[in-house]
Amino acid sequence: MGERLGYIRISSADQNTARQLDGVKLDQVFTDRLSGKDIQRPELNNLLRFARRGDTVLVHSLDRLARNLSDLQRLVSELTGRGVRVEFVKEGLAFDGSDSAMSVLLLSVMGAFAEFERSLIRERQREGIELAKKKGVYKGRKPKLNAAQVLVIRERLAAGEKKAVIARKLGISRETLYRHLSATPAPPP
């Protein structure tokens, strides 16, 4: 009998993982604090490398594993193809590679509903932002850097420090650094 491996995904660091797989006995848990927009997630990759024939991967619900049907089908197929059982607790679905036509249909239908639901959420979010912009209420996300920080970055760049090093030290991506540099005019010499 293999190990029982849990996979938990929350979209942001301030969300709580407690409701997922609560009370389920697990040997090991892999937790990502990232969007499910794609399958490039560190802990998901660790789970995929770790899972062995005879193991069972338990996930709270389909949308925690993948946000679109093709990713969901690919992940379930990859795991079950290696002899790993995949269970979705909320939906009560389990897959082990010897799945019936009905099981495959249920995965497809439930996965399509999860993808559809995510599309509706994004659509409502866009509509809400547009409405807030029209009312002049929408402020957008708070900038990662302020003008004083950008000025210090410019000084460090002038001193020969590399952009990638600066970004890493500040805990931001290089893209964020580039965006702030181009959006904030350089002071006159």
Side-chain angles (χ1 to χ4, degrees):
M1 187 75 176
E3 292 191 55
R4 292 172 54 86
L5 311 171
Y7 179 71
I8 294 175
R9 183 188 63 77
I10 53 175
S11 298
S12 62
D14 62 336
Q15 289 180 329
N16 191 337
T17 61
R19 74 172 184 89
Q20 294 183 42
L21 302 178
D22 184 40
V24 177
K25 184 178 176 348
L26 300 166
D27 296 306
Q28 190 164 345
V29 177
F30 299 82
T31 304
D32 274 316
R33 288 171 169 77
L34 294 168
S35 167
K37 67 180 178 178
D38 61 41
I39 57 173
Q40 296 308 314
R41 294 174 247 146
E43 287 302 303
L44 177 59
N45 290 330
N46 288 339
L47 169 69
L48 293 172
R49 279 192 297 274
F50 185 85
R52 303 285 183 261
R53 176 172 298 282
D55 289 349
T56 300
V57 172
L58 293 104
V59 184
H60 176 70
S61 61
L62 294 166
D63 67 331
R64 298 295 88 200
L65 186 60
R67 283 292 197 182
N68 69 59
L69 183 56
S70 61
D71 286 345
L72 178 66
Q73 289 171 324
R74 190 173 331 119
L75 288 168
V76 170
S77 177
E78 178 182 339
L79 287 164
T80 58
R82 294 184 354 218
V84 177
R85 180 179 169 87
V86 180
E87 293 183 17
F88 297 100
V89 177
K90 183 177 176 184
E91 292 87 356
L93 296 173
F95 302 90
D96 63 9
S98 64
D99 307 313
S100 67
M102 182 57 81
S103 294
V104 174
L105 174 65
L106 282 172
L107 178 68
S108 298
V109 170
M110 299 296 286
F113 273 119
E115 185 174 341
F116 176 67
E117 178 185 33
R118 180 66 188 138
S119 296
L120 287 177
I121 290 168
R122 282 197 320 266
E123 187 177 308
R124 287 191 299 264
Q125 183 180 30
R126 277 192 303 271
E127 290 170 354
I129 289 171
E130 285 304 313
L131 185 61
K133 282 180 178 178
K134 286 179 185 174
K135 291 180 178 180
V137 190
Y138 184 73
K139 304 289 187 225
R141 187 188 306 187
K142 182 182 172 203
K144 294 258 184 194
L145 303 172
N146 60 39
Q149 289 171 309
V150 175
L151 184 61
V152 170
I153 289 170
R154 288 186 191 284
E155 291 169 0
R156 290 167 70 178
L157 288 170
E161 196 169 348
K162 302 246 183 252
K163 289 178 183 173
V165 172
I166 295 170
R168 201 172 15 258
K169 286 179 181 175
L170 292 173
I172 60 172
S173 68
R174 286 183 309 194
E175 291 79 16
T176 298
L177 183 104
Y178 297 142
R179 191 171 45 252
H180 279 283
L181 287 171
S182 66
T184 308

